[in-house]
Each structure stands twice: as C-alpha cells, then as structure tokens.
Amino acid sequence: MSLNSPIFLKRSEENNSKFVETKQSQTTSIASEDPLQNLCLASQEVLQKAQQSGRSKCLRCGGSRMFYCYTCYVPVENVPIEQIPLVKLPLKIDIIKHPNETDGKSTAIHAKLLAPEFVNIYTYPCIPEYEEKDHEVALVFPGPQSISIKDISFHLQKRIQNNVRGKNDDPDKPSFKRKRTEEQQFCDLNDSKCKGTPLKKIIFIDSTWNQTNKIFTDERLQGLLQVELKTRKTCFWRHQKGKPDTFLSTIEAIYYFLVDYHTDILKEKYRGQYDNLLFFYSFMYQLIKNAKCSGDKETAKLTH
C-alpha cells in the first residue's frame, strides 16, 4: 500500500489517540531509570502479533522483512498500516544518512514511518541546498559552536536581521531611505513582535559517530546554526564500542529534540505528543531486553 494513499494520509489524531494509554508524565519518564517505560504509546499489539508470526512481505518491493521495509519505508504485509500511529510534528525534519549506514540497523526509518509528511531521508552525498534558508534551518550536531535548544530563536532572529541589513545596505539609495527601510523591516530582539520561532526545519545526521565528520564537514552544511542536545543516556541495543552511553541513536535524538523544543521554544507543557516516534524503538528495546534476560534467540528476528 502506498504511503500516499488516502488511508495512510488521513490517519487522524482521533484514530491515533484511541490507542493512547494514559500513563505518567514525560518528565517522570525521562527521569526514571528506564526512560521508555512510561511513554504514552499506541497499542503495540500489532507488533506483538507480527513478531510471533515472523517476517512478512513488503507489498511494494516484495522483500522479506520484520515489521517494516527499510528500503520502501512502509510497514510489511502483516502490520496493517492503519494500526500504525501517525505523529504530527511542529516542524520538518531532514535526515542525512551516511551511505555506509546499514539500512536494516538504522532507526531513522522509524521517523519516516511514523511522521511521513514531516520527515525526509537523504543518502549522502545527496543533500538539499540550505544556503538561502539558513535563517530557518538548524543542524543537530555537538561542537564548540553549538548552542542549546532554548537559544535557537534568538540566534535565528539575529540571522534574519543581518540578512535585512545586508539587503538594505545599498550605497546608491539615499541614507534616509535606507534608515526608513530598516525601521520598517528591522525590529529589536526583545520586541514582542519579533518573538516566536523562525525555525522551520531541523537536520539530523544518521551515521556512526566515526563516520559523521564526512557529512558534517560538507560545504552545504557549513554555516548552518548548530544545536546540541541536553545530555541523556541511550537505550540503543547496538551501542557503539568505545563511545559513551550519551551517544544517542538517531530516533532518540529526534525524539528528545522535539520534547525539549516543545517545552523550551513552544513554551507548552509536554503531554506525550511525540512519544509514538518511539513506537517501534521501544518495542524492539523491550523485546531484546527480555530476550537477553531469558537467554533465547528472539533478537535474531530483529536484525532484518
């Protein structure tokens, strides 16, 4: 079934919310020892049944997969698309995937499956042009130039103002006209009229940490505002050897960014609006955790 089919695109919030289980708040969830245990998730019964029945066929390419096709970005035959939650996001997300990143092991695909209208995945060296939109785009990547999420609006507003100044800096235009244009288009950062968030798109790099430098140093990403996430521990079962447990999987990074964006930028109380981004991830995590405890080989079914 196509991702563009009416059934898929019209999965409304009502259809999504009927599965939602009322649990503890996200604040409690993040603070707990297991940050995935108190999520407000859609029913995962469909995944439980699919896991019991084993691999199934992708209706688009015919490949044999578990849960979803990582090539076509669609659920497989034994996972009805109408039983997969649809997540509405406050902004667009671009994911730049390293060509050596194994598709079947990438969690970036979860975001595309669960928020298809908001997420695009590009395989490097294919990268969109962001130069003309650097005042409304940011890149999530740690470094000395990175800022915190709460400061995004401030720094993007400064870019907008600098762009306005540059456009109005016309030596052939009389000075009084330049001044008037600036007064019309330029406003103080503390002015309530300028407040809000100019951010429209956030970029993530999907790669092992050892491979990120090749993408990060690409000239098409240079000059973009860099954002660093708050420190959190990963639950990823494919932890990168020699790396600290604060190195998150791609879907974790997307999820935590949106949670902080919701509270720090939108200034709204978080009530689990993006928890279903971890719909597949949390199920796989629990399945693998249980398999390790029991010593069985269920984890093999999740290697796609």
Side-chain angles (χ1 to χ4, degrees), residues 164-286:
V164 171
R165 286 180 186 273
K167 289 177 181 179
N168 292 329
D169 191 17
D170 184 355
D172 295 326
K173 185 185 295 184
S175 59
F176 72 91
K177 287 188 177 181
R178 292 202 305 270
K179 183 177 181 181
R180 183 177 179 183
T181 305
E182 285 191 13
E183 288 174 346
Q184 290 173 340
Q185 300 184 36
F186 184 83
C187 57
D188 192 287
L189 285 173
N190 294 319
D191 190 335
S192 60
K193 293 181 181 179
C194 288
K195 291 184 178 180
T197 172
L199 183 66
K200 294 183 180 179
K201 181 174 290 185
I202 190 74
I203 305 167
F204 293 86
I205 296 176
D206 183 40
S207 168
T208 62
W209 282 98
N210 291 332
Q211 297 173 332
T212 55
N213 193 57
K214 183 177 181 180
I215 298 178
F216 173 68
T217 55
D218 189 285
E219 62 180 5
R220 290 166 292 181
L221 297 180
Q222 296 304 299
L224 292 179
L225 185 68
Q226 285 178 236
V227 181
E228 188 163 3
L229 298 175
K230 295 177 183 177
T231 301
R232 290 185 172 95
K233 291 185 179 181
T234 184
C235 293
F236 198 30
W237 48 92
R238 295 191 180 98
H239 183 66
Q240 297 178 41
K241 187 176 181 180
K243 301 298 180 183
D245 58 6
T246 54
F247 280 31
L248 304 176
S249 66
T250 301
I251 194 63
E252 286 176 312
I254 292 172
Y255 170 72
Y256 286 128
F257 172 86
L258 290 170
V259 170
D260 292 340
Y261 178 86
H262 196 85
T263 56
D264 294 344
I265 300 296
L266 300 183
K267 303 296 183 182
E268 296 178 13
K269 186 174 182 180
Y270 184 68
R271 301 181 184 277
Q273 291 91 332
Y274 316 122
D275 283 11
N276 272 323
L277 285 175
L278 300 178
F279 179 75
F280 290 105
Y281 185 83
S282 62
F283 181 80
M284 293 177 180
Y285 168 78
Q286 196 60 50

